[in-house]
């Protein structure tokens, strides 16, 4: 019988919560972890916490925060080899790594925006995992830039076929942008969760915004989904994933 894979997805907010995130990953022991806002120097630490022999990191921006610059990006950490790794951009202004500042909202959409994806094989069954950190907007209100980038993102996802997509979507459930994804794919975050912001750790306090997502195409079965607080400024998403053996 095929054993399900355990997935963790979490926005770690740079290195601000390492004393929480690292023990959390060690306790959860996921098969695969998708992490947003990773500082490049912390990649080995996350790999060790997951016990991941395989990982990929792709930078988004060189961000100024906490008085210094951080190369910030997305990472996937896996117990199994990563196959068919892809970085598909839906917002990229230049080939150079862009600068941004934690203190200047006008720069929040300077970073490259992309889907980082890979395939893993488990019990002779292929899984496709993808993660993203979507375009920012103030107060969770949909913007024209988000609308344009969402159309580019959907075009990328159409090319994947089947997938599990997780990450920080910077757009709340119930709104236009999140709803565009939910209309096409299964939204696996249980309805009783009304926010994925940790009000005790987020700089803006308690915000009723479900902005972290876990979407799947019909080939995948998702269970035991939970949002875990006390990890970072965003709650961590934990789930078990399985799929039909016919491909």
């Amino acid at each position: 019988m095929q054993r399900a894979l355990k997935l963790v997805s979490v926005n770690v907010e740079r290195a601000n919560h390492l004393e929480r995130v690292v023990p959390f990953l060690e306790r959860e022991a996921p098969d695969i972890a998708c992490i947003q806002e990773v500082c490049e120097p912390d990649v080995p630490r996350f790999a060790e916490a997951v016990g991941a022999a395989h990982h990929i990191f792709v930078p988004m921006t060189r961000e100024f925060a906490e008085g210094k610059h951080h190369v910030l990006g997305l990472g996937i950490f896996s117990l199994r080899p990563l196959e068919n790794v892809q970085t598909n951009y839906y917002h990229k202004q230049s080939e150079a790594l862009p600068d941004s500042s934690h203190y200047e909202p006008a720069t929040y959409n300077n970073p490259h925006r992309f889907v980082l994806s890979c395939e893993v094989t488990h019990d002779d069954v292929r899984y496709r995992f993808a993660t993203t950190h979507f375009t920012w907007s103030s107060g969770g209100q949909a913007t024209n830039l988000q609308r344009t980038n969402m159309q580019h993102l959907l075009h990328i996802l159409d090319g994947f076929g089947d997938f599990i997509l997780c990450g920080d979507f910077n757009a709340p459930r119930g709104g236009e942008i999140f709803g565009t994804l939910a209309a096409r794919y299964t939204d696996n975050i249980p309805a009783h969760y009304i926010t994925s912001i940790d009000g005790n750790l987020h700089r803006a306090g308690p915000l009723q915004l479900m902005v972290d997502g876990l979407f799947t195409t019909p080939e995948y079965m998702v269970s035991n989904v939970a949002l875990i607080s006390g990890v970072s400024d965003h709650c961590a998403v934990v789930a078990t994933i399985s799929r039909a053996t016919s491909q």
Side-chain angles (χ1 to χ4, degrees), residues 30-33 44 46-55 76-80:
D31 293 282
I32 191 160
F46 287 128
E48 181 180 6
V50 175
H54 312 277
H55 63 268
I76 298 179
F77 302 82
S78 173
L79 303 185
R80 294 164 182 80

Side-chain angles (χ1 to χ4, degrees), residues 194-198 207 209-213 227 233-237:
I194 59 173
T195 183
S196 59
I197 300 298
D198 189 320
L207 301 173
L209 298 172
M210 175 58 65
V211 294
D212 296 86
L227 267 60
D233 65 334
H234 287 233
C235 297
V237 179

Side-chain angles (χ1 to χ4, degrees), residues 18-19 22-23 25-26 40-51 77:
L18 290 178
E19 77 286 355
V22 169
L25 292 171
E26 292 172 342
E40 188 170 26
D42 297 327
V43 169
R45 191 167 182 182
F46 287 128
E48 181 180 6
V50 175
F77 302 82

Side-chain angles (χ1 to χ4, degrees), residues 127-211:
Y127 294 71
R128 187 192 307 271
F129 290 93
T131 189
T132 195
H133 188 279
F134 193 70
T135 313
W136 177 84
S137 73
S138 177
Q141 299 299 310
T143 65
N144 286 335
L145 180 60
Q146 283 189 325
R147 294 182 181 103
T148 297
N149 288 350
M150 178 55 66
Q151 292 308 306
H152 293 320
L153 172 60
L154 293 175
H155 179 72
I156 292 167
L157 296 177
D158 284 345
F160 285 173
D162 63 272
F163 58 84
I164 302 117
L165 173 67
C166 57
D168 177 358
F169 292 89
N170 273 317
R173 180 157 65 184
E176 175 188 342
I177 300 301
F178 197 106
T180 300
L181 285 169
R184 294 175 63 128
Y185 311 113
T186 301
D187 170 12
N188 293 283
I189 304 296
H192 67 269
Y193 289 110
I194 59 173
T195 183
S196 59
I197 300 298
D198 189 320
N200 292 320
L201 297 176
H202 198 281
R203 67 182 186 277
L207 301 173
Q208 300 304 297
L209 298 172
M210 175 58 65
V211 294

Side-chain angles (χ1 to χ4, degrees), residues 195-246:
T195 183
S196 59
I197 300 298
D198 189 320
N200 292 320
L201 297 176
H202 198 281
R203 67 182 186 277
L207 301 173
Q208 300 304 297
L209 298 172
M210 175 58 65
V211 294
D212 296 86
L214 176 58
F215 297 96
T216 53
T217 52
E219 296 82 359
Y220 295 96
M221 295 158 283
V222 181
S223 59
N224 303 319
V225 181
L227 267 60
I228 309 297
S229 60
V231 179
S232 179
D233 65 334
H234 287 233
C235 297
V237 179
V238 179
T240 54
I241 313 286
S242 60
R243 68 165 293 168
T245 55
S246 60

